[in-house]
């Protein structure tokens, strides 16, 4: 089991560029979610999904899109990158009961210049 | 809107001392999670608390949950340097059944000094 795999680990974007952060899990978890971590802010929820074909917005969804076409993958798209989106992004997954907690990926450090 | 407040946000401890980190949340919830994060690393699950009165212990850390008071505590006993990290609590805002989303506190940065 690889767990939760995020790619890339580091990325520098220019303002206005678009990109997709990848997240894949091989644990057959139903729940997947994206968070951003900024200094002094903890982790803030961007989007989440309870299963293939179902997504919902979290606390800070603006500027981000998601889709969930398979159980394994939950990509996060930045439509037009802005410096305010400079952050560390974490993907997490959990079985549908969440009784066992959430497994986090290793993160993607994104810088928008 | 669920708010999760941790205190203190910064904690400097001496080795061998005891201390408690508090996690308050603003709406009804019956699921709370504690995580540890080392600098530059991902989040490591410490405890999953699923009911009122739940208490879990692992080594020098003990976590508890009081859903009526909307309060969880993370107690550190006889701190050692290896416990230096940032600790987060996270609350499931969906009482009675998870929906896959968590709301995090801002974290407590713990530094244990000799």
């Amino acid at each position: 089991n690889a767990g939760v795999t995020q790619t890339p680990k580091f990325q520098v974007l220019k303002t206005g560029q678009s990109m997709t952060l990848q997240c894949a899990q091989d644990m057959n978890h139903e729940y997947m979610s994206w968070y951003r971590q900024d200094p002094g802010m903890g982790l803030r929820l961007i989007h989440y999904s309870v299963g293939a074909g179902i997504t919902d917005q979290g606390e800070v969804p603006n500027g981000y899109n998601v889709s969930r076409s398979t159980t394994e993958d939950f990509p996060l798209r930045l439509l037009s990158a802005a410096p305010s989106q400079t952050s560390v992004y974490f993907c997490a997954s959990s079985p549908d009961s969440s009784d066992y907690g959430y497994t986090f990926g290793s993160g993607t450090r994104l810088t928008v210049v | 809107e669920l708010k999760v407040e941790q205190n203190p946000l910064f904690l400097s401890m001496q080795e061998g001392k005891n201390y408690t980190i508090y996690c308050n949340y603003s709406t009804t919830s019956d699921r709370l999670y504690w995580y540890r994060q080392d600098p530059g690393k991902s989040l490591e699950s410490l405890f999953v608390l699923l009911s009122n009165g739940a208490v879990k212990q692992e080594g020098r850390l003990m976590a508890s949950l009081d859903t009526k008071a909307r309060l969880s505590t993370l107690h550190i006993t006889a701190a050692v340097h290896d416990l230096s990290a940032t600790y987060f609590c996270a609350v499931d805002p969906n009482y009675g059944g998870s929906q896959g989303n968590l709301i995090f506190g801002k974290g407590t940065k713990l530094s244990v000094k000799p």
Side-chain angles (χ1 to χ4, degrees):
Chain A
N1 272 357
V4 178
T5 302
Q6 289 185 239
T7 55
K9 294 192 182 306
F10 301 93
Q11 183 70 48
V12 179
L13 284 181
K14 293 183 179 179
T15 298
Q17 286 185 318
S18 63
M19 79 160 295
T20 299
L21 308 185
Q22 302 290 346
C23 176
Q25 52 91 9
D26 61 357
M27 299 172 284
N28 201 31
H29 286 176
E30 288 298 317
Y31 293 171
M32 295 187 76
S33 47
W34 277 101
Y35 297 85
R36 61 176 288 173
Q37 183 175 28
D38 303 293
M41 299 294 291
L43 280 80
R44 292 181 291 171
L45 179 66
I46 305 171
H47 286 285
Y48 61 103
S49 170
V50 298
I54 306 170
T55 65
D56 207 345
Q57 296 182 352
E59 303 168 271
V60 288
N62 291 343
Y64 307 95
N65 271 359
V66 292
S67 60
R68 183 105 179 263
S69 56
T70 67
T71 299
E72 295 78 19
D73 300 297
F74 191 42
L76 179 71
R77 296 183 193 83
L78 280 70
L79 307 173
S80 176
S84 61
Q85 293 179 304
T86 294
S87 188
V88 180
Y89 292 84
F90 288 100
C91 178
S93 74
S94 172
D96 59 3
S97 69
S98 75
D99 287 358
Y100 301 99
Y102 291 73
T103 302
F104 281 79
S106 59
T108 295
R109 185 173 295 273
L110 175 68
T111 302
V112 182
V113 297
Chain B
E1 177 188 340
L2 174 63
K3 293 190 185 301
V4 180
E5 292 187 354
Q6 281 183 243
N7 67 82
L9 298 182
F10 298 92
L11 178 54
S12 181
M13 297 178 62
Q14 279 193 311
E15 280 190 333
K17 299 292 187 182
N18 304 332
Y19 209 84
T20 300
I21 298 170
Y22 298 89
C23 177
N24 292 89
Y25 53 96
S26 60
T27 64
T28 303
S29 175
D30 55 358
R31 293 165 181 259
L32 190 139
Y33 306 82
W34 284 97
Y35 288 90
R36 168 182 171 142
Q37 186 181 40
D38 293 302
K41 303 293 187 181
S42 184
L43 279 79
E44 172 190 354
S45 179
L46 293 175
F47 300 108
V48 179
L49 303 170
L50 301 176
S51 61
N52 185 42
V55 177
K56 291 194 175 179
Q57 183 164 6
E58 181 73 33
R60 301 175 187 274
L61 301 178
M62 182 173 71
S64 65
L65 177 62
D66 182 342
T67 59
K68 294 178 182 178
R70 300 176 183 173
L71 171 68
S72 179
T73 61
L74 180 66
H75 187 73
I76 303 158
T77 301
V80 294
H81 179 71
D82 285 353
L83 290 179
S84 297
T86 298
Y87 294 85
F88 291 96
C89 65
V91 178
D92 188 322
N94 309 285
Y95 184 77
S98 177
Q99 293 293 318
N101 51 325
L102 294 179
I103 305 300
F104 278 79
K106 292 185 177 182
T108 296
K109 187 173 183 178
L110 172 64
S111 176
V112 181
K113 302 183 186 302

